[in-house]
Amino acid sequence: EKLNFLMSIIGISGGELAHAVSLDPSYISRLRSGKRSLPKGQRFLDDIAAYFATKVHTEYQIKLLSEAMSYEGEWPEEKEAAQRLIYDWLHTEQDSQRDTIMNILQGAVSSFLLDAVLSPDRDPDLSTIGSDVREYYYGCSGRQEAFLHFLAAALRAPAGQDMYLFTSESVEWLAGDGEFSASISTLLTEFAQNQRRLKIAHPIQQNVTDLIHRLQRWAPVYLTGFAEPYYYPKVRSDFFLRTLFVVPGTVAMVSSSLEGSNAESVTVIASEPRAVEAATMEMEYLLSLAKPLARVFTPGNHSGITELLKDFYNKKEPMLVIHDHLAPFPGTTPNSGTDFSGEPDLQNYAVVESIIRSSPYTEVISKPDLDVIRSGSIPIQLTELAPDGPRYLSKEEYVDNLDHTIRLLENNRNYHILIVPQTFFNFYLCIKKGVGVLISKPDRNAATFFVEQSNVLEIVWEYANAVMKRVEKTDKESALAELRELRDALAE
Protein backbone atom coordinates (compact mmCIF):
# COMPACT_ATOMS: atom_id res chain seq x y z
CA GLU A 1 0.00 0.00 0.00
CA LYS A 2 2.77 2.45 0.92
CA LEU A 3 4.83 1.61 -2.15
CA ASN A 4 1.82 1.94 -4.45
CA PHE A 5 0.99 5.27 -2.84
CA LEU A 6 4.50 6.66 -3.37
CA MET A 7 4.45 5.56 -7.00
CA SER A 8 1.00 7.08 -7.52
CA ILE A 9 1.81 10.56 -6.27
CA ILE A 10 4.83 10.92 -8.55
CA GLY A 11 3.25 9.06 -11.46
CA ILE A 12 5.82 6.35 -12.21
CA SER A 13 5.50 2.74 -13.30
CA GLY A 14 6.96 -0.37 -11.72
CA GLY A 15 9.45 -0.63 -14.57
CA GLU A 16 10.78 2.86 -13.91
CA LEU A 17 11.18 2.20 -10.19
CA ALA A 18 12.86 -1.15 -10.86
CA HIS A 19 15.34 0.50 -13.21
CA ALA A 20 16.11 3.26 -10.71
CA VAL A 21 16.91 0.86 -7.84
CA SER A 22 18.45 -1.92 -9.99
CA LEU A 23 15.79 -4.56 -9.34
CA ASP A 24 13.86 -6.88 -11.61
CA PRO A 25 10.46 -5.38 -12.58
CA SER A 26 8.71 -8.66 -11.63
CA TYR A 27 10.02 -8.28 -8.07
CA ILE A 28 8.56 -4.78 -7.80
CA SER A 29 5.30 -6.15 -9.19
CA ARG A 30 5.16 -8.83 -6.47
CA LEU A 31 5.85 -6.22 -3.79
CA ARG A 32 3.04 -4.01 -5.09
CA SER A 33 0.55 -6.88 -5.26
CA GLY A 34 1.39 -8.05 -1.73
CA LYS A 35 2.75 -11.38 -2.92
CA ARG A 36 6.10 -10.42 -1.38
CA SER A 37 6.56 -8.52 1.87
CA LEU A 38 8.76 -5.45 1.93
CA PRO A 39 12.14 -6.77 3.17
CA LYS A 40 13.89 -5.19 6.13
CA GLY A 41 17.56 -4.58 6.57
CA GLN A 42 18.32 -4.83 2.88
CA ARG A 43 20.18 -2.15 1.03
CA PHE A 44 17.56 -1.65 -1.62
CA LEU A 45 15.09 -0.21 0.93
CA ASP A 46 17.59 2.64 1.34
CA ASP A 47 17.72 2.97 -2.43
CA ILE A 48 13.93 3.14 -2.70
CA ALA A 49 13.72 5.80 0.01
CA ALA A 50 16.53 7.78 -1.65
CA TYR A 51 14.79 7.61 -5.02
CA PHE A 52 11.47 8.92 -3.68
CA ALA A 53 13.24 11.60 -1.63
CA THR A 54 14.52 13.11 -4.88
CA LYS A 55 11.20 12.72 -6.74
CA VAL A 56 8.82 14.10 -4.10
CA HIS A 57 9.48 17.81 -4.46
CA THR A 58 6.33 19.71 -5.46
CA GLU A 59 4.20 21.34 -2.76
CA TYR A 60 1.28 19.08 -3.64
CA GLN A 61 3.34 15.85 -3.50
CA ILE A 62 4.82 16.86 -0.14
CA LYS A 63 1.34 17.62 1.21
CA LEU A 64 -0.02 14.20 0.17
CA LEU A 65 2.95 12.29 1.56
CA SER A 66 2.98 14.22 4.85
CA GLU A 67 -0.70 13.40 5.34
CA ALA A 68 -0.10 9.70 4.65
CA MET A 69 2.84 9.65 7.09
CA SER A 70 0.99 11.75 9.70
CA TYR A 71 4.03 14.01 9.59
CA GLU A 72 3.23 17.51 10.84
CA GLY A 73 6.65 19.13 10.63
CA GLU A 74 8.15 21.13 7.79
CA TRP A 75 9.35 18.86 4.99
CA PRO A 76 13.16 18.83 4.99
CA GLU A 77 15.00 20.47 2.10
CA GLU A 78 17.99 18.14 2.54
CA LYS A 79 17.45 14.97 0.53
CA GLU A 80 19.19 12.83 3.17
CA ALA A 81 16.72 13.96 5.84
CA ALA A 82 13.76 13.33 3.53
CA GLN A 83 15.20 9.90 2.73
CA ARG A 84 15.32 9.02 6.43
CA LEU A 85 11.67 10.04 6.90
CA ILE A 86 10.55 7.89 3.98
CA TYR A 87 12.75 4.97 5.05
CA ASP A 88 11.35 5.03 8.61
CA TRP A 89 7.78 5.15 7.27
CA LEU A 90 8.37 2.20 4.93
CA HIS A 91 10.23 0.28 7.63
CA THR A 92 7.65 0.75 10.40
CA GLU A 93 5.01 -1.94 10.75
CA GLN A 94 1.51 -0.51 10.99
CA ASP A 95 -2.03 -1.69 10.60
CA SER A 96 -3.36 -1.43 7.07
CA GLN A 97 -3.26 2.14 5.85
CA ARG A 98 -5.53 1.40 2.89
CA ASP A 99 -8.37 3.66 4.07
CA THR A 100 -6.00 6.53 4.89
CA ILE A 101 -4.18 6.27 1.58
CA MET A 102 -7.38 5.90 -0.44
CA ASN A 103 -8.86 9.00 1.18
CA ILE A 104 -5.73 10.99 0.33
CA LEU A 105 -5.70 9.75 -3.26
CA GLN A 106 -9.41 10.50 -3.59
CA GLY A 107 -8.59 14.00 -2.43
CA ALA A 108 -6.18 14.18 -5.34
CA VAL A 109 -8.95 13.08 -7.66
CA SER A 110 -11.27 15.75 -6.30
CA SER A 111 -8.57 18.33 -7.04
CA PHE A 112 -8.61 17.11 -10.63
CA LEU A 113 -12.37 17.49 -10.74
CA LEU A 114 -12.02 21.09 -9.61
CA ASP A 115 -8.99 22.05 -11.68
CA ALA A 116 -10.25 20.44 -14.86
CA VAL A 117 -13.26 22.77 -15.11
CA LEU A 118 -11.61 26.08 -14.23
CA SER A 119 -11.41 28.50 -17.14
CA PRO A 120 -8.18 30.51 -17.49
CA ASP A 121 -8.79 34.23 -17.48
CA ARG A 122 -5.28 35.55 -18.22
CA ASP A 123 -4.33 37.65 -21.23
CA PRO A 124 -1.00 36.10 -22.27
CA ASP A 125 1.71 37.89 -24.25
CA LEU A 126 2.05 35.93 -27.51
CA SER A 127 4.17 38.49 -29.35
CA THR A 128 7.40 36.46 -29.15
CA ILE A 129 5.89 33.05 -29.93
CA GLY A 130 6.72 31.92 -33.46
CA SER A 131 9.93 33.91 -33.68
CA ASP A 132 13.32 32.21 -33.36
CA VAL A 133 11.88 28.81 -34.34
CA ARG A 134 14.54 26.09 -34.13
CA GLU A 135 14.60 22.41 -34.98
CA TYR A 136 15.86 21.16 -31.60
CA TYR A 137 14.75 21.99 -28.05
CA TYR A 138 16.22 20.59 -24.83
CA GLY A 139 14.83 19.62 -21.43
CA CYS A 140 11.48 20.47 -19.83
CA SER A 141 11.61 24.22 -20.54
CA GLY A 142 12.65 23.44 -24.10
CA ARG A 143 9.61 21.21 -24.55
CA GLN A 144 7.32 23.98 -23.33
CA GLU A 145 8.91 26.38 -25.81
CA ALA A 146 8.68 23.78 -28.60
CA PHE A 147 4.97 23.20 -27.92
CA LEU A 148 4.21 26.91 -28.15
CA HIS A 149 6.12 27.13 -31.45
CA PHE A 150 4.30 24.02 -32.68
CA LEU A 151 0.94 25.66 -31.88
CA ALA A 152 1.95 28.91 -33.56
CA ALA A 153 2.96 27.00 -36.71
CA ALA A 154 -0.31 25.04 -36.59
CA LEU A 155 -2.25 28.26 -37.17
CA ARG A 156 -1.04 28.13 -40.79
CA ALA A 157 -3.05 24.93 -41.39
CA PRO A 158 -6.05 25.20 -43.74
CA ALA A 159 -9.61 25.31 -42.40
CA GLY A 160 -10.95 21.94 -41.33
CA GLN A 161 -7.53 20.42 -40.65
CA ASP A 162 -7.35 18.51 -37.34
CA MET A 163 -4.50 18.33 -34.84
CA TYR A 164 -3.37 14.97 -33.40
CA LEU A 165 -1.67 14.71 -30.00
CA PHE A 166 -0.17 11.68 -28.25
CA THR A 167 2.45 11.23 -25.52
CA SER A 168 3.47 8.35 -23.28
CA GLU A 169 6.24 10.47 -21.74
CA SER A 170 5.92 12.41 -18.51
CA VAL A 171 3.44 15.28 -18.79
CA GLU A 172 4.94 17.36 -15.98
CA TRP A 173 6.07 19.95 -18.54
CA LEU A 174 2.41 20.79 -19.22
CA ALA A 175 2.09 21.98 -15.61
CA GLY A 176 3.69 25.32 -16.31
CA ASP A 177 2.76 28.63 -14.73
CA GLY A 178 -0.51 30.40 -15.44
CA GLU A 179 1.01 32.34 -18.32
CA PHE A 180 2.05 29.11 -20.07
CA SER A 181 -1.38 27.49 -19.58
CA ALA A 182 -3.14 30.62 -20.82
CA SER A 183 -0.88 30.77 -23.88
CA ILE A 184 -1.73 27.15 -24.73
CA SER A 185 -5.44 27.80 -24.35
CA THR A 186 -5.32 30.99 -26.45
CA LEU A 187 -3.36 29.40 -29.30
CA LEU A 188 -5.49 26.27 -29.35
CA THR A 189 -8.72 28.26 -29.29
CA GLU A 190 -7.48 30.34 -32.22
CA PHE A 191 -6.53 27.12 -34.03
CA ALA A 192 -9.92 25.53 -33.45
CA GLN A 193 -11.99 28.56 -34.47
CA ASN A 194 -11.56 27.73 -38.15
CA GLN A 195 -13.48 24.42 -38.13
CA ARG A 196 -10.53 22.48 -36.74
CA ARG A 197 -10.56 19.80 -34.04
CA LEU A 198 -7.97 18.47 -31.60
CA LYS A 199 -7.76 14.71 -31.12
CA ILE A 200 -5.79 13.59 -28.05
CA ALA A 201 -4.90 9.93 -27.53
CA HIS A 202 -4.09 9.06 -23.88
CA PRO A 203 -2.19 5.89 -23.02
CA ILE A 204 -3.49 4.09 -19.95
CA GLN A 205 -0.41 2.76 -18.20
CA GLN A 206 -0.15 1.16 -14.77
CA ASN A 207 -3.08 2.64 -12.91
CA VAL A 208 -6.00 5.04 -12.98
CA THR A 209 -4.02 7.70 -11.14
CA ASP A 210 -1.83 8.02 -14.22
CA LEU A 211 -4.88 8.70 -16.39
CA ILE A 212 -6.32 11.24 -13.95
CA HIS A 213 -2.92 12.93 -13.78
CA ARG A 214 -2.76 13.18 -17.58
CA LEU A 215 -6.29 14.56 -17.88
CA GLN A 216 -5.46 17.18 -15.26
CA ARG A 217 -2.36 18.28 -17.16
CA TRP A 218 -4.34 18.53 -20.42
CA ALA A 219 -7.12 20.59 -18.81
CA PRO A 220 -6.14 23.87 -20.61
CA VAL A 221 -6.56 22.02 -23.90
CA TYR A 222 -9.96 20.57 -23.07
CA LEU A 223 -11.21 23.91 -21.83
CA THR A 224 -11.06 25.24 -25.38
CA GLY A 225 -14.11 23.08 -26.06
CA PHE A 226 -12.68 21.78 -29.33
CA ALA A 227 -10.79 18.72 -28.05
CA GLU A 228 -11.76 15.07 -28.41
CA PRO A 229 -10.08 12.74 -25.86
CA TYR A 230 -9.32 9.11 -26.74
CA TYR A 231 -7.47 6.33 -24.95
CA TYR A 232 -5.47 3.36 -26.13
CA PRO A 233 -7.28 0.40 -24.52
CA LYS A 234 -4.31 -1.96 -24.18
CA VAL A 235 -2.52 -1.38 -20.88
CA ARG A 236 1.16 -0.78 -21.62
CA SER A 237 4.30 -0.38 -19.56
CA ASP A 238 6.80 0.62 -22.18
CA PHE A 239 10.49 1.21 -21.63
CA PHE A 240 10.66 3.33 -24.79
CA LEU A 241 8.45 6.42 -24.47
CA ARG A 242 7.25 8.69 -27.25
CA THR A 243 5.64 12.06 -27.91
CA LEU A 244 4.06 12.69 -31.29
CA PHE A 245 2.08 15.85 -32.09
CA VAL A 246 1.15 16.59 -35.69
CA VAL A 247 -0.97 18.87 -37.85
CA PRO A 248 -1.07 17.04 -41.20
CA GLY A 249 0.54 18.95 -44.01
CA THR A 250 1.89 21.65 -41.68
CA VAL A 251 4.06 20.74 -38.67
CA ALA A 252 5.04 17.90 -36.32
CA MET A 253 6.60 17.78 -32.84
CA VAL A 254 8.44 14.60 -31.86
CA SER A 255 10.45 13.45 -28.85
CA SER A 256 11.39 10.18 -27.17
CA SER A 257 13.00 8.98 -23.96
CA LEU A 258 13.79 5.85 -21.95
CA GLU A 259 11.77 5.13 -18.83
CA GLY A 260 13.81 5.97 -15.74
CA SER A 261 16.55 7.77 -17.63
CA ASN A 262 17.79 11.12 -16.34
CA ALA A 263 19.28 12.08 -19.70
CA GLU A 264 18.22 15.46 -21.07
CA SER A 265 15.40 14.99 -23.57
CA VAL A 266 15.48 16.39 -27.11
CA THR A 267 12.31 17.67 -28.79
CA VAL A 268 12.25 18.13 -32.56
CA ILE A 269 10.01 20.49 -34.55
CA ALA A 270 9.62 19.31 -38.15
CA SER A 271 8.01 21.18 -41.03
CA GLU A 272 9.61 19.31 -43.95
CA PRO A 273 6.68 17.72 -45.87
CA ARG A 274 7.98 14.14 -45.89
CA ALA A 275 8.70 14.20 -42.15
CA VAL A 276 5.23 15.61 -41.40
CA GLU A 277 3.62 12.98 -43.62
CA ALA A 278 5.45 10.16 -41.79
CA ALA A 279 4.27 11.50 -38.42
CA THR A 280 0.72 11.85 -39.77
CA MET A 281 0.59 8.21 -40.89
CA GLU A 282 1.73 7.06 -37.42
CA MET A 283 -0.91 9.13 -35.63
CA GLU A 284 -3.73 8.09 -37.95
CA TYR A 285 -2.88 4.45 -37.28
CA LEU A 286 -2.81 5.04 -33.50
CA LEU A 287 -6.17 6.81 -33.55
CA SER A 288 -7.65 3.93 -35.54
CA LEU A 289 -6.83 1.70 -32.52
CA ALA A 290 -8.03 4.18 -29.87
CA LYS A 291 -11.45 4.53 -28.24
CA PRO A 292 -13.28 7.68 -27.11
CA LEU A 293 -12.49 8.61 -23.49
CA ALA A 294 -14.82 11.54 -22.81
CA ARG A 295 -17.14 13.98 -24.49
CA VAL A 296 -16.49 17.67 -23.86
CA PHE A 297 -19.24 20.29 -24.13
CA THR A 298 -18.97 24.08 -24.06
CA PRO A 299 -21.51 26.90 -24.61
CA GLY A 300 -20.31 27.19 -28.20
CA ASN A 301 -20.13 23.48 -28.87
CA HIS A 302 -22.76 21.37 -27.11
CA SER A 303 -24.24 19.38 -29.97
CA GLY A 304 -25.77 16.14 -28.68
CA ILE A 305 -25.98 17.17 -25.00
CA THR A 306 -29.79 16.91 -24.92
CA GLU A 307 -29.82 13.34 -26.22
CA LEU A 308 -26.94 12.40 -23.91
CA LEU A 309 -28.74 13.74 -20.82
CA LYS A 310 -31.96 11.92 -21.69
CA ASP A 311 -30.17 8.64 -22.17
CA PHE A 312 -28.05 9.15 -19.04
CA TYR A 313 -31.01 10.00 -16.79
CA ASN A 314 -33.07 7.08 -18.12
CA LYS A 315 -30.50 4.38 -17.33
CA LYS A 316 -31.78 2.41 -14.34
CA GLU A 317 -28.70 2.48 -12.14
CA PRO A 318 -27.97 4.10 -8.73
CA MET A 319 -27.20 7.78 -9.12
CA LEU A 320 -25.00 10.02 -6.98
CA VAL A 321 -24.87 13.81 -7.24
CA ILE A 322 -22.30 15.94 -5.40
CA HIS A 323 -22.59 19.73 -5.49
CA ASP A 324 -22.74 22.73 -3.22
CA HIS A 325 -26.32 23.83 -3.71
CA LEU A 326 -29.75 22.27 -3.72
CA ALA A 327 -30.93 23.14 -7.24
CA PRO A 328 -33.11 21.51 -9.90
CA PHE A 329 -31.84 19.86 -13.05
CA PRO A 330 -32.11 21.71 -16.34
CA GLY A 331 -34.81 20.54 -18.70
CA THR A 332 -33.85 18.08 -21.43
CA THR A 333 -36.16 19.46 -24.09
CA PRO A 334 -34.36 21.30 -26.92
CA ASN A 335 -35.21 24.98 -27.30
CA SER A 336 -35.17 24.75 -31.07
CA GLY A 337 -33.86 21.93 -33.22
CA THR A 338 -30.95 20.38 -31.33
CA ASP A 339 -30.05 23.52 -29.37
CA PHE A 340 -29.76 23.06 -25.61
CA SER A 341 -32.13 25.47 -23.88
CA GLY A 342 -30.88 24.76 -20.38
CA GLU A 343 -34.16 25.93 -18.87
CA PRO A 344 -34.59 24.43 -15.38
CA ASP A 345 -37.61 22.26 -14.69
CA LEU A 346 -39.06 24.59 -12.06
CA GLN A 347 -42.67 23.46 -12.34
CA ASN A 348 -42.91 19.71 -12.79
CA TYR A 349 -39.49 18.49 -11.61
CA ALA A 350 -39.91 15.68 -14.09
CA VAL A 351 -36.24 14.74 -14.31
CA VAL A 352 -35.72 13.97 -10.61
CA GLU A 353 -39.10 12.27 -10.29
CA SER A 354 -38.44 9.98 -13.24
CA ILE A 355 -35.07 8.96 -11.78
CA ILE A 356 -36.31 8.12 -8.29
CA ARG A 357 -39.23 6.09 -9.61
CA SER A 358 -36.83 3.43 -10.86
CA SER A 359 -33.46 3.80 -9.09
CA PRO A 360 -31.83 5.00 -5.85
CA TYR A 361 -30.84 8.65 -6.07
CA THR A 362 -28.61 10.36 -3.50
CA GLU A 363 -27.62 14.04 -3.39
CA VAL A 364 -24.65 15.21 -1.32
CA ILE A 365 -24.78 18.97 -0.77
CA SER A 366 -22.89 21.53 1.26
CA LYS A 367 -24.52 23.13 4.27
CA PRO A 368 -26.83 25.81 2.78
CA ASP A 369 -25.76 29.45 3.07
CA LEU A 370 -28.68 31.78 3.79
CA ASP A 371 -26.94 34.87 2.42
CA VAL A 372 -26.16 33.17 -0.90
CA ILE A 373 -29.75 31.94 -1.22
CA ARG A 374 -31.28 35.33 -0.39
CA SER A 375 -29.04 37.11 -2.89
CA GLY A 376 -30.21 34.87 -5.74
CA SER A 377 -26.73 33.42 -6.30
CA ILE A 378 -27.50 29.69 -6.39
CA PRO A 379 -26.40 28.39 -9.83
CA ILE A 380 -28.36 25.73 -11.68
CA GLN A 381 -26.07 22.94 -12.80
CA LEU A 382 -25.39 22.54 -16.52
CA THR A 383 -27.03 25.86 -17.44
CA GLU A 384 -23.53 27.20 -18.16
CA LEU A 385 -23.93 25.45 -21.52
CA ALA A 386 -27.02 27.46 -22.43
CA PRO A 387 -27.01 30.82 -24.22
CA ASP A 388 -26.26 33.56 -21.66
CA GLY A 389 -25.70 30.90 -19.00
CA PRO A 390 -25.32 30.05 -16.25
CA ARG A 391 -28.76 30.63 -14.74
CA TYR A 392 -29.36 31.32 -11.05
CA LEU A 393 -32.31 30.68 -8.75
CA SER A 394 -34.11 33.62 -7.22
CA LYS A 395 -34.92 33.28 -3.54
CA GLU A 396 -38.53 32.50 -4.43
CA GLU A 397 -37.51 29.82 -6.93
CA TYR A 398 -35.16 28.31 -4.38
CA VAL A 399 -37.94 28.11 -1.76
CA ASP A 400 -40.27 26.44 -4.28
CA ASN A 401 -37.56 23.94 -5.12
CA LEU A 402 -36.87 23.39 -1.42
CA ASP A 403 -40.56 22.66 -0.74
CA HIS A 404 -40.68 20.17 -3.58
CA THR A 405 -37.46 18.52 -2.39
CA ILE A 406 -38.90 18.07 1.10
CA ARG A 407 -42.04 16.45 -0.38
CA LEU A 408 -39.92 14.09 -2.47
CA LEU A 409 -37.88 13.10 0.58
CA GLU A 410 -41.00 12.47 2.62
CA ASN A 411 -42.67 10.27 0.01
CA ASN A 412 -39.91 8.39 -1.83
CA ARG A 413 -37.74 5.62 -0.43
CA ASN A 414 -35.31 5.92 -3.34
CA TYR A 415 -34.45 9.57 -2.68
CA HIS A 416 -31.83 10.63 -0.11
CA ILE A 417 -30.04 13.86 0.75
CA LEU A 418 -26.83 14.09 2.76
CA ILE A 419 -25.66 17.47 4.07
CA VAL A 420 -21.94 17.96 4.70
CA PRO A 421 -20.08 20.90 6.26
CA GLN A 422 -17.45 21.07 3.50
CA THR A 423 -17.80 23.02 0.26
CA PHE A 424 -17.15 21.62 -3.22
CA PHE A 425 -16.10 24.97 -4.70
CA ASN A 426 -19.16 25.12 -6.95
CA PHE A 427 -18.31 22.05 -8.99
CA TYR A 428 -20.98 19.56 -9.97
CA LEU A 429 -20.46 15.81 -10.22
CA CYS A 430 -23.20 13.40 -11.28
CA ILE A 431 -22.35 9.72 -11.59
CA LYS A 432 -24.27 6.55 -12.39
CA LYS A 433 -22.26 3.48 -11.54
CA GLY A 434 -21.25 1.61 -14.66
CA VAL A 435 -22.86 4.22 -16.93
CA GLY A 436 -20.97 7.51 -16.86
CA VAL A 437 -20.08 10.65 -14.95
CA LEU A 438 -20.86 14.31 -15.67
CA ILE A 439 -18.34 16.84 -14.36
CA SER A 440 -19.03 20.56 -14.67
CA LYS A 441 -18.73 23.93 -13.00
CA PRO A 442 -21.43 26.59 -13.38
CA ASP A 443 -19.08 29.34 -14.55
CA ARG A 444 -19.46 31.30 -17.73
CA ASN A 445 -17.65 29.60 -20.66
CA ALA A 446 -16.69 26.57 -18.53
CA ALA A 447 -16.49 23.09 -20.07
CA THR A 448 -18.58 20.06 -19.10
CA PHE A 449 -17.11 16.54 -19.30
CA PHE A 450 -18.97 13.26 -19.75
CA VAL A 451 -16.77 10.21 -19.12
CA GLU A 452 -17.71 6.57 -19.72
CA GLN A 453 -14.29 4.91 -19.38
CA SER A 454 -14.69 2.18 -16.73
CA ASN A 455 -11.49 2.85 -14.74
CA VAL A 456 -12.29 6.54 -14.37
CA LEU A 457 -15.86 5.69 -13.31
CA GLU A 458 -14.56 3.33 -10.65
CA ILE A 459 -12.25 5.84 -8.98
CA VAL A 460 -14.83 8.67 -9.16
CA TRP A 461 -17.42 6.33 -7.62
CA GLU A 462 -14.95 5.54 -4.81
CA TYR A 463 -14.34 9.26 -4.31
CA ALA A 464 -18.09 9.93 -4.07
CA ASN A 465 -18.55 7.16 -1.53
CA ALA A 466 -15.61 8.49 0.49
CA VAL A 467 -17.36 11.87 0.66
CA MET A 468 -20.55 10.21 1.91
CA LYS A 469 -18.65 8.38 4.64
CA ARG A 470 -17.73 11.76 6.14
CA VAL A 471 -21.40 12.60 6.77
CA GLU A 472 -22.18 12.50 10.48
CA LYS A 473 -25.96 12.09 10.15
CA THR A 474 -27.05 9.81 7.34
CA ASP A 475 -30.68 9.14 8.27
CA LYS A 476 -33.42 10.78 6.23
CA GLU A 477 -35.11 12.39 9.24
CA SER A 478 -31.98 14.37 10.08
CA ALA A 479 -31.83 15.76 6.54
CA LEU A 480 -35.55 16.58 6.59
CA ALA A 481 -35.20 18.38 9.91
CA GLU A 482 -32.35 20.51 8.59
CA LEU A 483 -34.18 21.36 5.34
CA ARG A 484 -37.39 22.29 7.24
CA GLU A 485 -35.32 24.52 9.52
CA LEU A 486 -33.83 26.16 6.41
CA ARG A 487 -37.30 26.74 4.96
CA ASP A 488 -38.46 28.38 8.22
CA ALA A 489 -35.39 30.63 8.27
CA LEU A 490 -36.04 31.76 4.68
CA ALA A 491 -39.65 32.55 5.55
CA GLU A 492 -38.64 35.06 8.22
Side-chain angles (χ1 to χ4, degrees), residues 102-290:
M102 279 303 300
N103 284 338
I104 293 169
L105 284 179
Q106 286 156 353
V109 175
S110 67
S111 296
F112 152 70
L113 297 176
L114 300 179
D115 295 343
V117 290
L118 294 176
S119 299
D121 56 0
R122 292 173 178 262
D123 184 18
D125 179 10
L126 305 179
S127 60
T128 60
I129 297 175
S131 61
D132 190 29
V133 179
R134 307 184 302 280
E135 187 175 1
Y136 301 107
Y137 299 80
Y138 301 96
C140 179
S141 60
R143 188 164 298 182
Q144 290 180 337
E145 184 182 2
F147 190 41
L148 292 176
H149 287 312
F150 167 81
L151 296 178
L155 297 179
R156 302 195 300 267
Q161 181 59 68
D162 293 336
M163 177 186 295
Y164 306 142
L165 306 171
F166 168 82
T167 183
S168 58
E169 295 184 281
S170 169
V171 288
E172 283 299 320
W173 62 274
L174 277 170
D177 57 22
E179 186 75 14
F180 175 66
S181 297
S183 297
I184 292 175
S185 183
T186 300
L187 287 166
L188 285 170
T189 300
E190 185 176 347
F191 172 85
Q193 283 173 344
N194 205 2
Q195 299 180 349
R196 304 180 183 114
R197 302 289 297 172
L198 296 88
K199 297 184 178 182
I200 306 173
H202 294 282
I204 299 180
Q205 296 184 335
Q206 288 297 321
N207 50 55
V208 180
T209 307
D210 175 79
L211 180 62
I212 295 292
H213 180 68
R214 288 176 178 275
L215 284 172
Q216 183 180 22
R217 291 293 180 251
W218 283 105
V221 180
Y222 288 124
L223 287 170
T224 66
F226 302 101
E228 299 174 5
Y230 296 82
Y231 72 99
Y232 185 57
K234 295 183 180 179
V235 176
R236 303 295 296 268
S237 179
D238 292 333
F239 180 62
F240 184 76
L241 307 174
R242 188 94 188 280
T243 292
L244 184 59
F245 300 162
V246 60
V247 178
T250 305
V251 64
M253 173 176 154
V254 184
S255 68
S256 61
S257 59
L258 298 178
E259 188 176 41
S261 172
N262 293 320
E264 186 175 51
S265 62
V266 181
T267 303
V268 179
I269 294 290
S271 56
E272 193 273 325
R274 188 172 177 181
V276 174
E277 176 63 18
T280 299
M281 293 178 67
E282 279 195 67
M283 276 302 304
E284 288 178 344
Y285 176 69
L286 175 62
L287 286 170
S288 73
L289 302 175

Side-chain angles (χ1 to χ4, degrees), residues 179-484:
E179 186 75 14
F180 175 66
S181 297
S183 297
I184 292 175
S185 183
T186 300
L187 287 166
L188 285 170
T189 300
E190 185 176 347
F191 172 85
Q193 283 173 344
N194 205 2
Q195 299 180 349
R196 304 180 183 114
R197 302 289 297 172
L198 296 88
K199 297 184 178 182
I200 306 173
H202 294 282
I204 299 180
Q205 296 184 335
Q206 288 297 321
N207 50 55
V208 180
T209 307
D210 175 79
L211 180 62
I212 295 292
H213 180 68
R214 288 176 178 275
L215 284 172
Q216 183 180 22
R217 291 293 180 251
W218 283 105
V221 180
Y222 288 124
L223 287 170
T224 66
F226 302 101
E228 299 174 5
Y230 296 82
Y231 72 99
Y232 185 57
K234 295 183 180 179
V235 176
R236 303 295 296 268
S237 179
D238 292 333
F239 180 62
F240 184 76
L241 307 174
R242 188 94 188 280
T243 292
L244 184 59
F245 300 162
V246 60
V247 178
T250 305
V251 64
M253 173 176 154
V254 184
S255 68
S256 61
S257 59
L258 298 178
E259 188 176 41
S261 172
N262 293 320
E264 186 175 51
S265 62
V266 181
T267 303
V268 179
I269 294 290
S271 56
E272 193 273 325
R274 188 172 177 181
V276 174
E277 176 63 18
T280 299
M281 293 178 67
E282 279 195 67
M283 276 302 304
E284 288 178 344
Y285 176 69
L286 175 62
L287 286 170
S288 73
L289 302 175
K291 295 183 178 181
L293 173 63
R295 296 180 66 180
V296 185
F297 302 97
T298 65
N301 188 4
H302 52 247
S303 176
I305 183 68
T306 298
E307 293 76 13
L308 184 147
L309 289 174
K310 284 183 177 179
D311 183 61
F312 180 64
Y313 294 151
N314 288 334
K315 291 287 176 62
K316 295 181 179 180
E317 295 292 341
M319 181 165 165
L320 263 173
V321 172
I322 295 179
H323 55 150
D324 277 315
H325 310 292
L326 194 64
F329 285 90
T332 56
T333 303
N335 191 28
S336 60
T338 59
D339 189 28
F340 180 63
S341 68
E343 284 301 312
D345 183 20
L346 294 175
Q347 301 302 320
N348 298 316
Y349 301 90
V351 175
V352 173
E353 291 178 357
S354 67
I355 293 170
I356 63 178
R357 276 196 297 268
S358 60
S359 305
Y361 173 43
T362 302
E363 280 191 79
V364 182
I365 63 171
S366 301
K367 191 172 182 65
D369 187 317
L370 285 172
D371 292 336
V372 174
I373 296 169
R374 287 168 176 153
S375 66
S377 301
I378 301 294
I380 303 170
Q381 55 266 27
L382 300 181
T383 58
E384 67 275 5
L385 296 176
D388 302 320
R391 267 214 56 189
Y392 297 86
L393 289 176
S394 66
K395 175 191 169 184
E396 292 71 25
E397 289 174 330
Y398 184 92
V399 171
D400 287 343
N401 182 57
L402 178 59
D403 285 336
H404 188 78
T405 298
I406 291 172
R407 288 195 295 272
L408 286 177
L409 270 179
E410 291 171 336
N411 299 307
N412 293 275
R413 291 192 308 169
N414 273 347
Y415 187 39
H416 302 275
I417 287 183
L418 302 178
I419 302 172
V420 297
Q422 71 190 84
T423 61
F424 301 107
F425 302 95
N426 233 18
F427 87 88
Y428 168 71
L429 183 152
C430 178
I431 180 171
K432 283 197 171 188
K433 189 173 184 180
V435 178
V437 57
L438 276 166
I439 305 167
S440 70
K441 195 175 196 302
D443 286 349
R444 188 165 182 79
N445 297 322
T448 293
F449 297 82
F450 181 73
V451 183
E452 297 176 280
Q453 207 279 328
S454 59
N455 287 347
V456 176
L457 290 184
E458 181 181 345
I459 200 165
V460 175
W461 185 262
E462 287 185 358
Y463 160 72
N465 278 277
V467 171
M468 290 195 297
K469 289 178 182 177
R470 300 187 191 117
V471 179
E472 294 180 0
K473 298 179 180 179
T474 58
D475 61 291
K476 186 174 287 192
E477 283 305 316
S478 295
L480 279 169
E482 194 158 347
L483 293 178
R484 289 168 183 149

